[in-house]
Amino acid sequence: QVQLVESGGGLVQPGGSLRLSCAASGFTLDYYAIGWFRQAPGKEREGVSCISYSPANTYYADSVKGRFTSSRDNVKNTVYLQMNSLKPEDTAVYFCAADPLSSWCPPHGMEFWGEGTLVTVSS
């Protein structure tokens, strides 16, 4: 059974850090583009980061560039999103998604999606 499971969300104060994990089962992440997305209440889903399959690059939204880092552990079949210097506007449900052999991460075109994990940035 193909599954993506996010974890690591929670409540954090502004300026704090969190690391989200996205564990895959039923398929191997090696051959997939992996995207992190987020959706805040009342807002559309937006892309946060994308690790493309080919070319093997990592892209970030301007709003998180320099603060967030996405990485892949092929041995653990897991992708991470390290989030530093968090701001209240980063509050959202964060999703990971995978798309086979893709060079980018379209917000509405990824093949597999996780259920999401809530990140709340508040004092």
Side-chain angles (χ1 to χ4, degrees):
Q1 180 183 1
V2 171
Q3 200 172 16
L4 288 170
V5 179
E6 302 95 337
S7 61
L11 173 65
V12 62
Q13 292 186 342
S17 298
L18 281 176
R19 188 178 80 155
L20 305 184
S21 299
C22 172
S25 58
F27 69 105
T28 303
L29 286 174
D30 301 37
Y31 305 104
Y32 286 73
I34 306 299
W36 283 98
F37 302 84
R38 66 187 181 185
Q39 188 164 17
K43 294 187 177 181
E44 291 195 1
R45 183 186 302 164
E46 64 171 345
V48 174
S49 71
C50 177
I51 302 177
S52 60
Y53 169 72
S54 179
N57 291 327
T58 305
Y59 306 94
Y60 298 95
D62 288 342
S63 58
V64 306
K65 205 171 290 182
R67 300 187 298 122
F68 290 12
T69 303
S70 183
S71 60
R72 183 204 299 253
D73 186 332
N74 289 339
V75 173
K76 294 183 178 180
N77 213 28
T78 299
V79 177
Y80 303 97
L81 183 68
Q82 177 67 43
M83 306 186 296
N84 299 328
S85 302
L86 282 161
K87 304 175 181 180
E89 51 264 42
D90 294 319
T91 296
V93 177
Y94 284 72
F95 302 87
C96 65
D99 202 52
L101 305 177
S102 184
S103 59
W104 67 305
C105 300
H108 299 285
M110 305 293 281
E111 182 164 348
F112 303 126
W113 287 85
E115 294 293 318
T117 184
L118 176 63
V119 172
T120 303
V121 185
S122 175
S123 54

